[in-house]
Amino acid sequence: MLNCKLRPVFKQAQVLCGPLWRHKMQIRGCASRPATFQLLEDSLVLNYGGKPMHFNYVWLRDHCRSAASYNSQTHQRNVDTGGIDLTIRPDNTSVQDDHLILTWPGGHVTKYSLSWLAENSYERQKQSRVQPRILWNSDIYKNANVPSAKWDLFMSSDDEVKKFLQNYLLYGIAFVDEVPATVEATEAVTQRVSLIRETTYGRMWCFTSDFSRGDSAYSQLALDRHTDTSYFQEPCGIQVFHCLKHEGTGGRTLLVDGFYAAEKVRQQSPENFDLLARVPIRHEYIEKSDTHQNHMTGIGPVLDLYPWNKELYLIRYNNYDRSVINTIPHELVQRWYVAHRMLTTELRRPESELWVKLNPGKVVFIDNWRVMHGRESFTGLRQLCGCYLTRDDVLSSARGFGLQA
């Protein structure tokens, strides 16, 4: 094993590593951030910034940023990963001017900045969040005094869109006020941040309580908190609502931060949280009418986590559309219901409920992978329009503004 202390001086080092592996290496360090590295049988261990990080040799060759291996204009890999020797090891390794330099068999040279390696190490990613969020209940959100965007400024100012997206990323909901009460204006405001995702409900939809579709949303009934399209293999990312007209009473919109509730479950019962994150559940949408024939099925756990840092990124919770539970072994069924009940209890706590009256002109954007929506029952004519947006494009827009998403 090679262990080289990097100091702000230049020297020659000859180290015996194993019975037949001998290297003469040039080592130059940085006075401000001393580093060490160790060459193991199949990987390199870099100690930089006081933390050890492991880098597999094949990984180091595969991620080479030289012009021959990587196209910096298209940000695409040139090197053929399938052609890299799986037993590859560098012939020479050194650190110079805060860069790791590896010379491979055949003479190819790879050069990495130490900061890039640190940023892209598994050890760093394991400790980092993919997307910063502020989890909330009703009081937390109200006390934050999150401002709504204004239609005129939102449509003309990229800075206003950036502020809107920052709030959306942090809280999972964001509002635009003073929007003209038309389908066309609603469509225009949504396209400032993303592409519209067309589904079986159409591109832009506009509906009343006429039961024109086989869904309880097309009624005057109260709807409990839920996420939409859990019966899609990839649920829609963003839900947009705009109430164009309401001549009656009731009909307030309910918003609940599903991640806030789920993290309460994780704190109280890691076992129940884990069960909800690993047991697949089927959701289903069946519609049979003269004008629409649909049968959609989506399968996934109630909670989806990134495996490397256990960060929650998606929740599927829809008691209306949950199908027959036949994907759980018998010995887990009772435990799953207990875990589901614990989550439901947290979701239904009054302090978790944010009630909003969507009057004409107020458009709400909801992260359908995080925030649940519902409504209270209503009377009279209530006309609602909206759409689904593609999640990937919303996040792409946010990254274009330099936001972490």
Side-chain angles (χ1 to χ4, degrees), residues 158 162 165 169 393-405:
D158 286 346
K162 180 180 179 179
L165 287 171
L169 293 173
D393 290 284
V394 171
L395 299 183
S396 177
S397 296
R399 295 184 192 112
F401 285 113
L403 302 175
Q404 184 176 343

Side-chain angles (χ1 to χ4, degrees), residues 386-398:
C387 61
Y388 296 116
L389 303 182
T390 59
R391 178 180 177 82
D392 290 334
D393 290 284
V394 171
L395 299 183
S396 177
S397 296

Side-chain angles (χ1 to χ4, degrees), residues 183-199:
V183 175
E184 292 75 18
T186 309
E187 180 177 5
V189 80
T190 61
Q191 291 179 310
R192 281 288 280 158
V193 297
S194 180
L195 301 177
I196 295 174
R197 177 175 176 177
E198 187 164 4
T199 68

Side-chain angles (χ1 to χ4, degrees), residues 14 18 31 57 64 92 111 114 162 164 170 234 255 265 295 318 320 347 361 371 399:
Q14 185 171 327
Y57 292 137
C64 177
N92 190 64
K111 184 177 181 179
L114 299 182
K162 180 180 179 179
F164 169 90
L170 289 175
E234 180 184 301
L255 300 169
V265 174
H295 189 167
N318 191 314
Y320 301 104
L347 290 170
V371 175
R399 295 184 192 112

Side-chain angles (χ1 to χ4, degrees), residues 240-260:
V240 178
F241 286 125
H242 187 189
C243 183
L244 304 180
K245 180 189 298 185
H246 186 197
E247 300 170 350
T249 61
R252 290 182 303 164
T253 295
L254 169 65
L255 300 169
V256 177
D257 187 352
F259 285 9
Y260 179 89

Side-chain angles (χ1 to χ4, degrees), residues 3-291:
N3 188 340
C4 304
K5 180 69 174 178
L6 308 180
R7 301 182 185 279
V9 295
F10 180 81
K11 67 179 182 178
Q12 294 281 345
Q14 185 171 327
V15 185
L16 179 66
C17 301
L20 298 175
W21 195 14
R22 186 184 300 271
H23 284 280
K24 184 175 289 187
M25 311 187 69
Q26 294 183 339
I27 305 168
R28 181 175 297 159
C30 175
S32 60
R33 300 194 73 179
T36 64
F37 67 84
Q38 300 170 335
L39 299 177
L40 305 181
E41 186 66 24
D42 63 354
S43 61
L44 178 150
V45 180
L46 176 66
N47 288 275
Y48 179 66
K51 297 180 181 179
M53 298 165 285
H54 293 73
F55 298 97
N56 175 273
Y57 292 137
V58 179
W59 186 98
L60 287 167
R61 180 63 188 89
D62 182 46
H63 289 80
C64 177
R65 264 27 187 182
S66 70
S69 300
Y70 185 78
N71 188 324
S72 60
Q73 291 185 324
T74 65
H75 304 283
Q76 292 176 303
R77 182 179 281 103
N78 289 334
V79 67
D80 177 15
T81 306
I84 299 175
D85 183 355
L86 294 179
T87 62
I88 195 170
R89 288 165 67 166
D91 286 340
N92 190 64
T93 306
S94 64
V95 171
Q96 301 177 29
D97 300 325
D98 277 337
H99 285 78
L100 176 70
I101 301 174
L102 306 115
T103 303
W104 303 101
H108 183 83
V109 176
T110 294
K111 184 177 181 179
Y112 290 109
S113 71
L114 299 182
S115 59
W116 188 93
L117 287 172
E119 179 66 26
N120 289 283
S121 68
Y122 173 78
E123 289 80 3
R124 172 71 66 84
Q125 295 300 314
K126 186 177 180 180
Q127 300 298 323
S128 303
R129 296 194 65 82
V130 174
Q131 182 179 319
R133 296 181 175 91
I134 297 175
L135 307 187
W136 51 269
N137 60 17
S138 180
D139 285 343
I140 293 172
Y141 186 82
K142 289 177 180 177
N143 291 335
N145 293 315
V146 183
S148 298
K150 303 300 182 184
W151 158 261
D152 286 339
L153 196 56
F154 187 80
M155 298 303 293
S156 61
S157 168
D158 286 346
D159 286 341
E160 188 76 356
V161 174
K162 180 180 179 179
K163 294 174 186 176
F164 169 90
L165 287 171
Q166 181 67 86
N167 290 332
Y168 170 82
L169 293 173
L170 289 175
Y171 295 98
I173 54 174
F175 297 87
V176 181
D177 288 343
E178 302 174 3
V179 179
T182 66
V183 175
E184 292 75 18
T186 309
E187 180 177 5
V189 80
T190 61
Q191 291 179 310
R192 281 288 280 158
V193 297
S194 180
L195 301 177
I196 295 174
R197 177 175 176 177
E198 187 164 4
T199 68
T200 182
Y201 301 107
R203 190 170 180 274
M204 291 293 300
W205 35 258
C206 187
F207 69 92
T208 61
S209 53
D210 59 2
F211 284 101
S212 61
R213 299 298 298 269
D215 193 293
S216 52
Y218 291 74
S219 72
Q220 294 181 325
L221 302 174
L223 296 176
D224 192 23
R225 61 225 71 199
H226 64 280
T227 56
D228 267 19
T229 61
S230 296
Y231 41 77
F232 287 180
Q233 280 301 115
E234 180 184 301
C236 291
I238 291 87
Q239 171 92 65
V240 178
F241 286 125
H242 187 189
C243 183
L244 304 180
K245 180 189 298 185
H246 186 197
E247 300 170 350
T249 61
R252 290 182 303 164
T253 295
L254 169 65
L255 300 169
V256 177
D257 187 352
F259 285 9
Y260 179 89
E263 291 299 340
K264 290 288 187 181
V265 174
R266 189 186 331 228
Q267 294 170 10
Q268 297 167 19
S269 176
E271 298 80 8
N272 283 341
F273 182 90
D274 177 69
L275 197 64
L276 293 173
R278 64 183 174 87
V279 173
I281 296 295
R282 190 189 313 272
H283 289 80
E284 195 169 39
Y285 177 65
I286 301 174
E287 183 181 26
K288 296 180 179 180
S289 69
D290 294 338
T291 55

Side-chain angles (χ1 to χ4, degrees), residues 227 230 232-233 235 283 299-304 314-318:
T227 56
S230 296
F232 287 180
Q233 280 301 115
H283 289 80
I299 301 174
V302 174
L303 307 176
D304 263 325
L314 184 153
I315 183 168
R316 298 176 182 86
Y317 185 94
N318 191 314

